Amino acid sequence: MRCFVTGGAGFIGSHLTDRLMAEGSEVVVYDNLSLGKKEFLEPHLGNSRFTFVEADLLESEKLKEAMDGSDIVFHLAANSDVIRSAKNPDIDLQAGTLATYNVLEAMHAGGVRKIVFTSSNVVYGEATISPTTETYGPLLPISFYGASKLACEAVIAAYCHNFTLQAWIYRFGNIVGRRPTHGVVLDFYRKLQKDPTRLEVLGDGKQSKPYIEVHDCVDGMLFGFTHANEQINLFNLGTTGGVYVKDIADIVIREMGLKDVAVQFTGGVRGWPGDVHTVRLDVSKLKALGWKPRYPTSLEAFAAGARDIVSDLKTIHP
């Protein structure tokens, strides 16, 4: 396939690019490098099957030109730093909703019929049923990021109906693993580098989310793509259970080899406005097709991913 990957220089996108290249696909990565890093793509630069385009999804003509001839779009680009956009709704409107509209318009113009979209569990908002299934509703997100992801899902569904596109939509749990551009492990590591005796943690430490290791995430996306063939294929993608923030702090401290660290919680049930306190995902739908993650529980997935992150950071910033 000729695969067009938006956000392909980012955390998940670069791992997806690795996998697609390893499987022999031709890959075009389209990224404005606002969060992604070109160094993540270093192994593929110069490969005749790989093309990198540094541009923004809001540049519609560049987007159409770069996408021309593609067989499938993997749309991963978004503002993934949800804390940054909590006070500025325009960030997610531009980088999420409008960017996705441009992607769909470019697909329609160029005759590309397949899209794999990375959504998020935050579209569920504060769900009253847990674990939450893909059929849960009404969907009432409480963050601008979640609102944008839900809007993207809706626009994709409308394009599928009106222009006979086919979509695979994944509502992710939290992703952890090598090459993070943001996130709790990176945040805690940086704080502890500055002061190895004290760690400030936002919220009450009892927030709890599902985690999936990044290679399992990519594997689940591609498994669903090859094993589900409805016009719109919608899956939760994650693991069972969840990980408490207070336990995340303990894991990072342990992996850094630190002792006697005073963990101080800022208090409150949320780490920031829009933060959902507790999330559990029902991931049985994708598993029913035969998918099996290497790390089936959130604690296993987080521990493995955090270990990789801290190991890499120690090498870069000993």
Side-chain angles (χ1 to χ4, degrees):
M1 295 188 300
R2 180 179 171 89
C3 304
F4 189 83
V5 184
T6 75
F11 170 38
I12 305 169
S14 63
H15 285 281
L16 173 63
T17 297
D18 288 347
R19 175 72 175 270
L20 293 173
M21 290 293 293
E23 293 181 351
S25 294
E26 185 177 348
V27 179
V28 178
V29 166
Y30 190 99
D31 201 304
N32 66 3
L33 299 182
S34 59
L35 287 172
K37 298 181 179 180
K38 196 172 180 179
E39 65 195 66
F40 292 167
L41 304 171
E42 189 69 34
H44 313 301
L45 299 178
N47 189 311
S48 61
R49 290 188 288 109
F50 179 79
T51 303
F52 175 71
V53 179
E54 183 177 350
D56 197 284
L57 290 174
L58 300 180
E59 300 176 89
S60 57
E61 293 307 313
K62 286 185 179 180
L63 176 59
K64 290 175 183 177
E65 181 181 352
M67 192 187 292
D68 185 51
S70 297
D71 299 304
I72 182 173
V73 170
F74 290 88
H75 181 30
L76 283 72
N79 163 52
S80 52
D81 189 347
V82 296
I83 300 178
R84 184 170 69 103
S85 65
K87 295 182 179 179
N88 186 357
D90 187 64
I91 294 175
D92 286 310
L93 174 66
Q94 298 286 336
T97 310
L98 296 180
T100 298
Y101 166 75
N102 277 0
V103 168
L104 292 164
E105 274 293 281
M107 290 177 64
H108 179 49
V112 185
R113 293 284 176 252
K114 299 178 186 292
I115 181 171
V116 175
F117 176 64
T118 55
S119 188
S120 170
N121 69 83
V122 294
V123 300
Y124 294 118
E126 297 183 301
T128 56
I129 298 175
S130 181
T132 309
T133 69
E134 294 87 348
T135 57
Y136 175 84
L139 301 181
L140 300 171
I142 64 171
S143 67
F144 296 119
Y145 175 75
S148 174
K149 286 295 187 183
L150 184 56
C152 292
E153 289 189 15
V155 177
I156 289 170
Y159 267 78
C160 285
H161 176 77
N162 287 278
F163 300 124
T164 62
L165 303 187
Q166 189 177 17
W168 290 259
I169 298 172
Y170 295 97
R171 293 172 177 167
F172 284 173
N174 290 19
I175 318 298
V176 64
R178 285 193 159 96
R179 305 178 202 155
T181 56
H182 64 282
V184 65
V185 177
L186 199 58
D187 179 51
F188 285 1
Y189 186 92
R190 287 169 175 168
K191 286 180 177 179
L192 288 166
Q193 263 202 322
K194 291 180 180 179
D195 184 353
T197 67
R198 173 182 172 273
L199 176 61
E200 181 186 79
V201 177
L202 301 178
D204 59 8
K206 298 177 183 178
Q207 307 100 300
S208 178
K209 311 288 175 63
Y211 279 83
I212 181 170
E213 196 270 335
V214 67
H215 293 94
D216 277 345
C217 175
V218 169
D219 186 69
M221 289 171 59
L222 295 177
F223 187 93
F225 172 68
T226 56
H227 288 78
N229 199 36
E230 301 295 328
Q231 185 172 25
I232 299 176
N233 304 275
L234 175 64
F235 297 101
N236 287 336
L237 182 51
T239 53
T240 57
V243 186
Y244 290 94
V245 172
K246 60 182 178 63
D247 294 329
I248 290 175
D250 291 340
I251 290 170
V252 175
I253 289 168
R254 183 179 69 243
E255 290 297 332
M256 291 182 69
L258 301 175
K259 295 181 179 180
D260 301 321
V261 178
V263 180
Q264 300 174 344
F265 301 99
T266 60
V269 297
R270 305 184 197 280
W272 57 87
D275 180 31
V276 180
H277 186 272
T278 301
V279 178
R280 293 292 184 275
L281 292 176
D282 184 327
V283 294
S284 60
K285 183 179 177 181
L286 187 58
K287 287 184 176 180
L289 294 179
W291 178 65
K292 295 180 180 180
R294 290 185 304 164
Y295 304 104
T297 72
S298 286
L299 188 57
E300 288 176 294
F302 182 84
R307 182 167 55 249
D308 286 343
I309 294 172
V310 173
S311 174
D312 287 351
L313 288 172
K314 281 182 176 180
T315 302
I316 301 168
H317 305 289

